[in-house]
Amino acid sequence: MPTTAKEERLVTMVRDLVWRFYKALKAYQQCPSPQSAPAFRRRFDRIFTLRTGYEALDTLLERLHRRKNELLKVLEYPGIPLHTNASENALRTFVTKRKISGGTMSQDGRVARDVVLGLMKTCQKLGLSFYHYLGDRLGIGSEDHPIPSLPATILARA
């Protein structure tokens, strides 16, 4: 946290540069142009090699600059998201369950929990009822409408 007015101004300036860069990357994603990739890399370097004199901010900028290839992957693959919101949302169920239950008592319990929650999330993303899927796999319920395997469903939609 900045403690002086100067540090606050530096944080505000860098934040503005980063958000402008992010918006430009979002625009690039909509209309990718490989010719503009070197300019984005140079702009990234200009922002993340700044030295402001505010130690905490400079450390953060250095750390982000070390991850340049990872953070600019969108220049090679415009279809990948610029944020991790989907990943974090996918993990939220796992974290909530772990906190409520206090964890598992064994490695096998952890694996079982993770498998079931993974299947539940996959069914949810595919628009399938997890309970119908599970019932179909266990031989419970309607046999006249079998649910295809998840890998087959994923491949069919790809």
Side-chain angles (χ1 to χ4, degrees), residues 1-156:
M1 293 296 295
T3 56
T4 67
K6 180 182 178 187
E7 290 174 350
E8 183 65 43
R9 284 192 304 275
L10 290 169
V11 168
T12 300
M13 177 198 69
V14 170
R15 184 183 297 135
D16 184 56
L17 290 170
V18 170
W19 277 112
R20 288 175 190 255
F21 184 71
Y22 179 76
K23 287 177 184 173
L25 279 176
K26 284 175 66 175
Y28 172 89
Q29 229 180 359
Q30 299 303 311
C31 186
S33 167
Q35 303 89 312
S36 63
F40 275 103
R41 293 180 198 290
R42 286 191 302 274
R43 184 173 173 189
F44 183 92
D45 287 337
R46 279 195 310 272
I47 295 170
F48 294 98
T49 58
L50 279 174
R51 293 302 157 250
T52 64
Y54 176 24
E55 187 178 341
L57 180 58
D58 290 347
T59 301
L60 175 63
L61 291 170
E62 286 175 29
R63 184 171 57 87
L64 290 169
H65 189 260
R66 284 193 303 269
R67 297 179 62 198
K68 177 181 177 178
N69 291 336
E70 185 182 341
L71 294 171
L72 294 181
K73 198 59 84 174
V74 71
L75 297 175
E76 299 168 44
Y77 306 100
I80 64 171
L82 289 172
H83 51 74
T84 59
N85 294 350
S87 299
E88 291 174 14
N89 285 339
L91 289 173
R92 184 168 288 127
T93 305
F94 292 89
V95 174
T96 303
K97 175 66 176 153
R98 185 184 69 224
K99 285 182 177 181
I100 290 170
S101 67
T104 57
M105 297 186 65
S106 69
Q107 177 70 13
D108 289 342
R110 185 190 61 76
V111 169
R113 179 204 60 213
D114 291 350
V115 167
V116 169
L117 288 173
L119 285 171
M120 191 180 305
K121 279 290 188 181
T122 303
C123 285
Q124 182 182 26
K125 287 181 181 181
L126 293 172
L128 300 173
S129 164
F130 171 70
Y131 296 104
H132 290 133
Y133 173 80
L134 194 58
D136 188 63
R137 292 304 169 270
L138 296 173
I140 302 169
S142 175
E143 294 171 15
D144 52 331
H145 294 18
I147 297 177
S149 73
L150 293 181
T153 305
I154 292 168
L155 286 173

